[in-house]
Amino acid sequence: MSESLQIELTAKLADAGKDDIVAFCVFADAPRLSEFDGADQIAALLTETEFAGDDDTSRLVHQTSSGTLGRRIALIGCGDHADAGRHTLHRAAGTAVRVARGAQTGRLLFVMPAGHESTDDLAAAVEGAVMGVYENNFYKKAEGKQPRLDGMTIVTANPEAADVVRTATIVGESANWTRHQADEPGASLPPQEFARRAATMAAEFGLIVESLDSDEIQKRGMGGLWGVGKGSEELPALIVLRYEPETAPADDELLAFVGKGITFDTGGISIKHGLDMWEMKSDMTGGATVLGAMRAIAQLKPDRRVIGIVPAAENMPSGKSIKPGDIIRSLAGFTVEVIDTDAEGRLVLLDGIAYAKELGATRIVDLATLTGSIIVALGTVRTGLFSTNDEWAAAVTAASERAGEKVWRMPVNDDYKKRIESDIADFKNYGGRPDATGAALLLSKFAGDTPWVHLDIAGTAWYDERRSYAPKGASGLSVRTLVNLACD
Ligand code: BES
Ligand code: MN
Ligand code: ZN
């Protein structure tokens, strides 16, 4: 687990000590520095350093004569203000924290930019700061200078909003929990270990555990999850965590989050070839996102029942593996012809979705690193959102916008039905590339009439290279979207 960060709020920028750093947001198209004391000094610094304020950049400046702003000043590039949003503050605070930690800092004073005085903006900064602390070097021997940051003070027009800090810290720490699971190698986190970690976390925060082992998975007829899981020495698991507040009536709505939990995806018998197979250790990020969101929800205690379901399996080639052409019988009763064993995510998810409905889910969001095609379509900037229910799609989109986690709606309807039509079974799991839409269409058949949103996070779950606000690896994105949905 990553270190924690103590964050305080203040209305006025106080003098910084020599061990401290003061951080300012710099926008490429507008300085926006007029509202605080010392703005002149920063304006002069910008001219001197020629810092352009590009997104994902920063500059640490050592002042020889310590002005009123202190000796060390961090300029944080935020890109054009015209494009600024929650994600800008999230990244800026994360970048400031990483600069400060790298430079061995006592206190980081982070000045909120002018015009960003809302509590949502403050929450975005706090979440970003907490997520900026995350490191995935937990298998490295600690040597040399270790990063250090003793505390952070945010200079804001909302200095009384301690509850915002508390909430956003919980959410940020939970997103870091998710990242830690996603960054684990496949060998360290097979399905049953994933289930054990979920149970440990659930015990810590008071969630109910109703997970199923592989015998129960078979007995209940979850042929999709069992079909994928049976090829591995590591047995599959169905992780189920329940948040059940005393105040919510039992017949109330049940919000279900279902996350793909493939702890390693080799492709199975339809084995993958590319060089980047190692990244498939993160093919359980949808599941880790669901569990991370449950971790936050358990602490924030909304007045609504929520269930998190993670069908977890390892997709391996072996003498026991499912083969192309095999047919699985799913929990919902539909049969699916397996054209390609590398299209395994949808096979485990369709049972997860059916199980959510069996447990009484009235609204469903599933998350999965499901297809390479969504990366071709949307790159690594936006998550693909698929839904057959406009109202529920709008609610999830609103929650994602509040979180600063961008989504883009994609089509899912019978225009694409040839992709999932089988000659000998109810459906097939693959009908040729691009197949983000085909995969979503297959899942929609299992959601049926229940309001359902599918988030294909294959492009947004993972940073391919280091960012100023994050190491290369798991991004922790989408946790905040789920938490907003459950808590608003
Ligand atoms: N887990 C992958 C999708 C993926 C690819 C996630 C790259 C993150 C980065 C999924 O199980 C998969 O293998 N999809 C294939 C399906 C196809 C071969 C049937 C794909 O999209 O290429
Ligand atoms: Mn696959
Ligand atoms: Zn996969």
Side-chain angles (χ1 to χ4, degrees), residues 228 260-265 280 282-284 311 313 315 344-345 348:
V228 174
K260 172 176 173 181
I262 299 297
T263 60
F264 196 82
D265 181 13
M280 288 301 114
S282 65
D283 210 18
M284 32 54 73
N315 190 22
E344 84 298 339
V348 305

Side-chain angles (χ1 to χ4, degrees), residues 19 51 66 104 142 150 154 235 242 267 288 300 306 367-368 399 458 471:
D19 203 21
F51 181 69
S66 84
Q104 310 277 303
D150 300 341
I154 299 180
L235 293 172
R242 215 183 246 282
L300 300 176
V306 189
L367 298 92

Side-chain angles (χ1 to χ4, degrees), residues 260 262 265-268 270 272 280 283 315 340-346 369-370:
K260 172 176 173 181
I262 299 297
D265 181 13
T266 65
S270 316
K272 288 181 179 298
M280 288 301 114
D283 210 18
N315 190 22
D340 191 313
T341 66
D342 199 10
E344 84 298 339
R346 58 205 82 178
T369 48
L370 201 63

Side-chain angles (χ1 to χ4, degrees), residues 1 4-5 7 123 126-127 130-131 162-178 205 291-302 479-480 483 487:
M1 213 32 232
S4 63
L5 178 64
I7 299 178
V126 172
E127 287 162 359
V130 172
M131 289 172 72
D163 54 326
V164 173
V165 176
R166 185 190 151 262
T167 303
T169 299
I170 287 170
V171 178
E173 286 178 350
S174 294
N176 287 345
W177 184 91
T178 291
F205 297 104
L291 298 175
M294 295 300 287
R295 184 187 184 278
I297 289 164
Q299 295 171 78
L300 300 176
K301 304 196 189 308
V479 170
R480 288 173 290 147
V483 175
C487 296

Side-chain angles (χ1 to χ4, degrees), residues 266-389:
T266 65
I269 296 299
S270 316
I271 198 162
K272 288 181 179 298
H273 38 83
L275 294 171
D276 291 331
M277 195 201 278
W278 69 275
E279 286 181 7
M280 288 301 114
K281 68 178 185 170
S282 65
D283 210 18
M284 32 54 73
T285 305
T289 305
V290 165
L291 298 175
M294 295 300 287
R295 184 187 184 278
I297 289 164
Q299 295 171 78
L300 300 176
K301 304 196 189 308
D303 190 15
R304 159 186 295 143
R305 298 189 304 146
V306 189
I307 193 159
I309 298 177
V310 181
E314 187 177 68
N315 190 22
M316 291 287 277
S318 81
K320 291 188 194 150
S321 292
I322 195 160
K323 294 174 281 292
D326 287 355
I327 293 173
I328 61 101
R329 185 175 296 279
S330 71
L331 178 64
F334 295 122
T335 53
V336 182
E337 184 183 10
V338 179
I339 300 298
D340 191 313
T341 66
D342 199 10
E344 84 298 339
R346 58 205 82 178
L347 295 176
V348 305
L349 279 174
L350 54 83
D351 275 341
I353 290 169
Y355 194 55
K357 290 189 29 153
E358 220 176 88
L359 295 177
T362 54
R363 285 173 188 279
I364 301 174
V365 178
D366 83 65
L367 298 92
T369 48
L370 201 63
T371 67
S373 319
I374 202 69
I375 311 178
V376 176
L378 300 176
T380 57
V381 177
R382 285 178 188 265
T383 289
L385 183 150
F386 300 78
S387 182
T388 42
N389 182 299

Side-chain angles (χ1 to χ4, degrees), residues 371-374 376-377 416 419 430-439:
T371 67
S373 319
I374 202 69
V376 176
Y416 298 90
R419 303 261 171 176
Y430 182 59
R433 283 204 181 88
D435 87 323
T437 43

